[in-house]
Amino acid sequence: MGVQLDLFEFTEPDREAGWASGANAAGDASAAVTSPPSPPVLSLPEIVFVRNMRAKHYRLTLRRDGTPVATIPARGSERRAQAFVKEHATWLRREYARQQQRPRLAEEWTVGTRIMWRG
């Protein structure tokens, strides 16, 4: 039996952690391996599916207003588009969170609202 290597650091795993030596199977609670923290759950707006006759691949984009759009190619199916969106859900959540952190323009323009001119 070979030695399992950690793919991120290319080193041997820590034998005291328990998962390589089997100590975890014996019930050693202190050697439990913790999973990485999950990303925060964001409520995404409803995904809009758009069929494009010129598209050759499925595409997932995020509009400026935060609406996710899944483009379906001419010979594609909506079921496959939904699976494509599920495959790329982490990307979608990450980009949505990044977009929400960007500074926004004023929703309503009033007297004194600053407008960018040539820059």
Side-chain angles (χ1 to χ4, degrees):
M1 185 184 281
V3 176
Q4 183 176 357
L5 298 176
D6 185 3
L7 295 176
F8 300 107
E9 297 175 0
F10 295 107
T11 61
E12 280 191 50
D14 189 15
R15 297 249 181 232
E16 295 167 359
W19 60 273
S21 63
N24 217 7
D28 186 10
S30 65
V33 178
T34 60
S35 62
S38 60
V41 178
L42 295 172
S43 60
L44 295 172
E46 187 174 333
I47 297 171
V48 177
F49 292 92
V50 177
R51 187 170 297 273
N52 187 339
M53 294 301 149
R54 294 175 57 197
K56 298 199 184 320
H57 304 282
Y58 291 94
R59 190 171 97 180
L60 185 61
T61 56
L62 198 59
R63 290 183 183 163
R64 287 185 180 213
D65 64 352
T67 306
V69 178
T71 303
I72 306 171
R75 298 185 132 209
S77 68
E78 191 168 334
R79 180 182 292 170
R80 176 64 184 116
Q82 290 172 350
F84 182 79
V85 169
K86 284 183 184 178
E87 289 173 20
H88 296 87
T90 56
W91 175 86
L92 184 60
R93 285 189 190 98
R94 184 178 64 235
E95 289 302 311
Y96 185 74
R98 200 170 111 197
Q99 190 181 57
Q100 296 302 315
Q101 292 175 353
R102 289 184 186 153
R104 301 264 176 199
L105 295 175
E107 297 280 330
E108 185 177 304
W109 290 21
T110 59
V111 175
T113 302
R114 292 181 178 235
I115 301 172
M116 295 286 288
W117 176 256
R118 293 188 176 187

PDB file of all heavy atoms in Angstrom, residues 6 11 15-16 61 65 72 74 91 93 115-116:
ATOM      1  N   ASP A   6      -0.785  14.722  -0.025  1.00  0.00           N
ATOM      2  CA  ASP A   6      -1.660  15.875  -0.037  1.00  0.00           C
ATOM      3  C   ASP A   6      -1.443  16.611  -1.353  1.00  0.00           C
ATOM      4  O   ASP A   6      -0.325  16.972  -1.695  1.00  0.00           O
ATOM      5  CB  ASP A   6      -1.325  16.783   1.142  1.00  0.00           C
ATOM      6  CG  ASP A   6      -2.271  17.953   1.262  1.00  0.00           C
ATOM      7  OD1 ASP A   6      -3.215  18.037   0.468  1.00  0.00           O
ATOM      8  OD2 ASP A   6      -2.062  18.772   2.160  1.00  0.00           O
ATOM      9  N   THR A  11       3.098  16.995   0.150  1.00  0.00           N
ATOM     10  CA  THR A  11       3.814  16.418   1.273  1.00  0.00           C
ATOM     11  C   THR A  11       3.016  15.253   1.807  1.00  0.00           C
ATOM     12  O   THR A  11       1.842  15.080   1.477  1.00  0.00           O
ATOM     13  CB  THR A  11       4.021  17.447   2.394  1.00  0.00           C
ATOM     14  OG1 THR A  11       2.730  17.881   2.846  1.00  0.00           O
ATOM     15  CG2 THR A  11       4.834  18.632   1.920  1.00  0.00           C
ATOM     16  N   ARG A  15       0.439  12.166  10.125  1.00  0.00           N
ATOM     17  CA  ARG A  15      -0.010  10.887  10.677  1.00  0.00           C
ATOM     18  C   ARG A  15      -0.741  11.078  12.001  1.00  0.00           C
ATOM     19  O   ARG A  15      -1.553  10.269  12.387  1.00  0.00           O
ATOM     20  CB  ARG A  15       1.175   9.949  10.877  1.00  0.00           C
ATOM     21  CG  ARG A  15       1.849   9.606   9.584  1.00  0.00           C
ATOM     22  CD  ARG A  15       1.603   8.173   9.261  1.00  0.00           C
ATOM     23  NE  ARG A  15       2.281   7.861   8.008  1.00  0.00           N
ATOM     24  CZ  ARG A  15       1.683   7.303   6.997  1.00  0.00           C
ATOM     25  NH1 ARG A  15       0.420   6.988   7.090  1.00  0.00           N
ATOM     26  NH2 ARG A  15       2.320   7.028   5.902  1.00  0.00           N
ATOM     27  N   GLU A  16      -0.457  12.172  12.714  1.00  0.00           N
ATOM     28  CA  GLU A  16      -1.108  12.413  13.992  1.00  0.00           C
ATOM     29  C   GLU A  16      -2.537  12.912  13.811  1.00  0.00           C
ATOM     30  O   GLU A  16      -3.311  12.923  14.748  1.00  0.00           O
ATOM     31  CB  GLU A  16      -0.297  13.412  14.793  1.00  0.00           C
ATOM     32  CG  GLU A  16       1.065  12.870  15.165  1.00  0.00           C
ATOM     33  CD  GLU A  16       1.987  13.944  15.680  1.00  0.00           C
ATOM     34  OE1 GLU A  16       1.589  15.112  15.743  1.00  0.00           O
ATOM     35  OE2 GLU A  16       3.111  13.593  16.014  1.00  0.00           O
ATOM     36  N   THR A  61     -24.433  34.054 -17.362  1.00  0.00           N
ATOM     37  CA  THR A  61     -23.958  35.418 -17.151  1.00  0.00           C
ATOM     38  C   THR A  61     -24.767  36.064 -16.034  1.00  0.00           C
ATOM     39  O   THR A  61     -25.827  35.576 -15.652  1.00  0.00           O
ATOM     40  CB  THR A  61     -24.089  36.273 -18.423  1.00  0.00           C
ATOM     41  OG1 THR A  61     -25.448  36.241 -18.863  1.00  0.00           O
ATOM     42  CG2 THR A  61     -23.187  35.767 -19.525  1.00  0.00           C
ATOM     43  N   ASP A  65     -27.926  44.325 -13.161  1.00  0.00           N
ATOM     44  CA  ASP A  65     -28.915  44.452 -12.088  1.00  0.00           C
ATOM     45  C   ASP A  65     -28.914  43.235 -11.160  1.00  0.00           C
ATOM     46  O   ASP A  65     -29.686  43.177 -10.222  1.00  0.00           O
ATOM     47  CB  ASP A  65     -30.310  44.688 -12.667  1.00  0.00           C
ATOM     48  CG  ASP A  65     -30.820  43.517 -13.495  1.00  0.00           C
ATOM     49  OD1 ASP A  65     -30.052  42.581 -13.762  1.00  0.00           O
ATOM     50  OD2 ASP A  65     -32.006  43.548 -13.882  1.00  0.00           O
ATOM     51  N   ILE A  72     -29.325  29.230 -23.677  1.00  0.00           N
ATOM     52  CA  ILE A  72     -29.478  27.871 -24.195  1.00  0.00           C
ATOM     53  C   ILE A  72     -29.203  27.908 -25.690  1.00  0.00           C
ATOM     54  O   ILE A  72     -29.796  28.709 -26.411  1.00  0.00           O
ATOM     55  CB  ILE A  72     -30.908  27.343 -23.937  1.00  0.00           C
ATOM     56  CG1 ILE A  72     -31.247  27.456 -22.450  1.00  0.00           C
ATOM     57  CG2 ILE A  72     -31.063  25.925 -24.433  1.00  0.00           C
ATOM     58  CD1 ILE A  72     -32.695  27.157 -22.137  1.00  0.00           C
ATOM     59  N   ALA A  74     -29.210  26.600 -29.718  1.00  0.00           N
ATOM     60  CA  ALA A  74     -30.338  26.230 -30.574  1.00  0.00           C
ATOM     61  C   ALA A  74     -30.777  24.781 -30.360  1.00  0.00           C
ATOM     62  O   ALA A  74     -31.966  24.503 -30.283  1.00  0.00           O
ATOM     63  CB  ALA A  74     -29.967  26.455 -32.038  1.00  0.00           C
ATOM     64  N   TRP A  91     -19.815  29.409  -8.703  1.00  0.00           N
ATOM     65  CA  TRP A  91     -19.354  30.586  -9.440  1.00  0.00           C
ATOM     66  C   TRP A  91     -20.421  31.673  -9.390  1.00  0.00           C
ATOM     67  O   TRP A  91     -20.122  32.847  -9.174  1.00  0.00           O
ATOM     68  CB  TRP A  91     -19.053  30.231 -10.896  1.00  0.00           C
ATOM     69  CG  TRP A  91     -18.703  31.432 -11.707  1.00  0.00           C
ATOM     70  CD1 TRP A  91     -17.475  32.003 -11.857  1.00  0.00           C
ATOM     71  CD2 TRP A  91     -19.613  32.252 -12.473  1.00  0.00           C
ATOM     72  NE1 TRP A  91     -17.554  33.114 -12.665  1.00  0.00           N
ATOM     73  CE2 TRP A  91     -18.854  33.287 -13.053  1.00  0.00           C
ATOM     74  CE3 TRP A  91     -20.981  32.206 -12.721  1.00  0.00           C
ATOM     75  CZ2 TRP A  91     -19.434  34.263 -13.863  1.00  0.00           C
ATOM     76  CZ3 TRP A  91     -21.535  33.177 -13.524  1.00  0.00           C
ATOM     77  CH2 TRP A  91     -20.763  34.192 -14.086  1.00  0.00           C
ATOM     78  N   ARG A  93     -22.842  32.187  -7.173  1.00  0.00           N
ATOM     79  CA  ARG A  93     -22.945  32.801  -5.846  1.00  0.00           C
ATOM     80  C   ARG A  93     -21.773  33.740  -5.574  1.00  0.00           C
ATOM     81  O   ARG A  93     -21.945  34.815  -5.014  1.00  0.00           O
ATOM     82  CB  ARG A  93     -23.001  31.714  -4.773  1.00  0.00           C
ATOM     83  CG  ARG A  93     -24.323  31.030  -4.702  1.00  0.00           C
ATOM     84  CD  ARG A  93     -24.414  30.120  -3.489  1.00  0.00           C
ATOM     85  NE  ARG A  93     -25.594  29.313  -3.583  1.00  0.00           N
ATOM     86  CZ  ARG A  93     -25.623  28.065  -4.029  1.00  0.00           C
ATOM     87  NH1 ARG A  93     -24.518  27.476  -4.395  1.00  0.00           N
ATOM     88  NH2 ARG A  93     -26.752  27.405  -4.100  1.00  0.00           N
ATOM     89  N   ILE A 115     -22.359  63.124 -11.397  1.00  0.00           N
ATOM     90  CA  ILE A 115     -22.364  62.298 -12.599  1.00  0.00           C
ATOM     91  C   ILE A 115     -20.938  62.262 -13.144  1.00  0.00           C
ATOM     92  O   ILE A 115     -20.294  63.296 -13.287  1.00  0.00           O
ATOM     93  CB  ILE A 115     -23.322  62.872 -13.672  1.00  0.00           C
ATOM     94  CG1 ILE A 115     -24.732  62.955 -13.101  1.00  0.00           C
ATOM     95  CG2 ILE A 115     -23.292  62.029 -14.922  1.00  0.00           C
ATOM     96  CD1 ILE A 115     -25.694  63.686 -14.014  1.00  0.00           C
ATOM     97  N   MET A 116     -20.464  61.062 -13.449  1.00  0.00           N
ATOM     98  CA  MET A 116     -19.124  60.922 -14.032  1.00  0.00           C
ATOM     99  C   MET A 116     -19.163  61.460 -15.457  1.00  0.00           C
ATOM    100  O   MET A 116     -20.034  61.113 -16.254  1.00  0.00           O
ATOM    101  CB  MET A 116     -18.713  59.452 -14.037  1.00  0.00           C
ATOM    102  CG  MET A 116     -18.558  58.852 -12.683  1.00  0.00           C
ATOM    103  SD  MET A 116     -17.073  59.391 -11.857  1.00  0.00           S
ATOM    104  CE  MET A 116     -15.851  58.530 -12.799  1.00  0.00           C
TER     105      MET A 116
END
